[in-house]
Amino acid sequence: MSGSTGNATGTGTGTKTDGRVERGNQTRRLVLGRTMDIASVEGLEGLSLGRIATELELSKSGVFALFGSKEELQLATVRAAVAVFADRVVTPLKEMPPGAPRVRELCRNWLTYSSERVFAGGCFFYAVSAEFDARTGPVHDAVARTRRDWTAYMERTLTEARAVGDFAEDLDVEQLAFEVIALMEAANAQSVLLGDTLAYGRAERGITARLRSSATGRGRAALTGPA
């Protein structure tokens, strides 16, 4: 009998614990959904536990229990934005083979992510990079790491395309990645500041021209084909 009672009690406690954990996870997702949008418009310094609790009608103590400090809220927001970015820009290409078309689609995904305002202020990372570029500390380091990771991914995608013969063997991968990312970010900045949606088309045409100029005959043929 005592064994049965113990199991029943354990199951009940586990259910209650699981329920609290799920509610905590739901609240966390709710908070981070809001903080990502705020940060993309106002910057990470626009975040505070009190503000989020008030806007979402949550208890400040509950929000504090989830994040502990403003800095942890900022870091959690950066991590959440990385996951959203990956889901919209990188993951859709998972099954696409290496090559110039994959590079082109990666760039198109980025332009769509910005133009469709996945984050209210355009590219989240463009916004917070400008905010933290000259600072020091854990938040600066987290933002800088996301920038390095994104650049490295673009370079790796170009390197893989070169390896299958779509780009010239002497391609300067780092230079091309720099130029392509600069065109994408210029479109984001002009669109956000001036409301110029045509900037995305200009960026895509510029990127395609730059890719074609560095491509082999095989690569140019692939870039001419359908998306």
Side-chain angles (χ1 to χ4, degrees):
M1 290 293 293
S2 60
S4 298
T5 304
N7 288 337
T9 303
T11 300
T13 303
T15 301
K16 291 177 182 178
T17 301
D18 290 345
R20 286 197 297 270
V21 169
E22 179 53 31
R23 285 194 298 275
N25 289 337
Q26 288 176 354
T27 301
R28 189 179 182 86
R29 288 192 292 269
L30 176 67
V31 168
L32 293 175
R34 180 65 185 130
T35 59
M36 285 187 287
D37 273 345
I38 291 173
S40 72
V41 175
E42 301 178 29
L44 288 163
E45 285 298 326
L47 305 181
S48 74
L49 300 175
R51 173 184 179 176
I52 296 304
T54 299
E55 288 192 7
L56 298 179
E57 298 182 347
L58 301 169
S59 71
K60 186 174 180 180
S61 62
V63 176
F64 183 85
L66 284 173
F67 298 99
S69 68
K70 177 176 179 174
E71 182 175 271
E72 179 50 39
L73 180 64
Q74 292 172 325
L75 292 170
T77 300
V78 172
R79 291 192 294 268
V82 168
V84 172
F85 178 88
D87 183 63
R88 295 298 295 262
V89 178
V90 176
T91 302
L93 302 176
K94 186 170 61 174
E95 304 302 326
M96 194 171 186
R102 191 172 194 271
V103 176
R104 178 187 61 189
E105 291 310 299
L106 178 62
C107 297
R108 284 180 173 173
N109 286 354
W110 194 101
L111 292 170
T112 299
Y113 142 83
S114 173
S115 66
E116 290 186 351
R117 296 297 186 260
V118 172
F119 298 113
C123 177
F124 176 94
F125 301 100
Y126 182 86
V128 301
S129 293
E131 181 187 13
F132 276 86
D133 56 4
R135 302 189 187 190
T136 59
V139 179
H140 165 275
D141 295 347
V143 171
R145 185 162 54 252
T146 66
R147 299 281 298 190
R148 284 194 296 269
D149 288 348
W150 165 235
T151 299
Y153 185 81
M154 177 63 74
E155 291 173 356
R156 184 163 66 252
T157 305
L158 286 165
T159 298
E160 291 169 349
R162 181 179 62 185
V164 300
D166 281 0
F167 290 103
E169 290 184 7
D170 62 352
L171 173 67
D172 186 337
V173 167
E174 292 182 3
Q175 180 65 29
L176 182 54
F178 181 89
E179 293 179 23
V180 165
I181 291 172
L183 282 167
M184 293 190 291
E185 292 188 342
N188 176 81
Q190 188 154 324
S191 171
V192 173
L193 182 63
L194 304 179
D196 179 11
T197 57
L198 297 178
Y200 293 106
R202 296 189 186 98
E204 183 171 355
R205 289 191 294 276
I207 289 167
T208 299
R210 185 65 184 87
L211 293 178
R212 285 178 59 81
S213 72
S214 300
T216 60
R218 167 194 156 109
R220 283 191 293 274
L223 289 168
T224 302

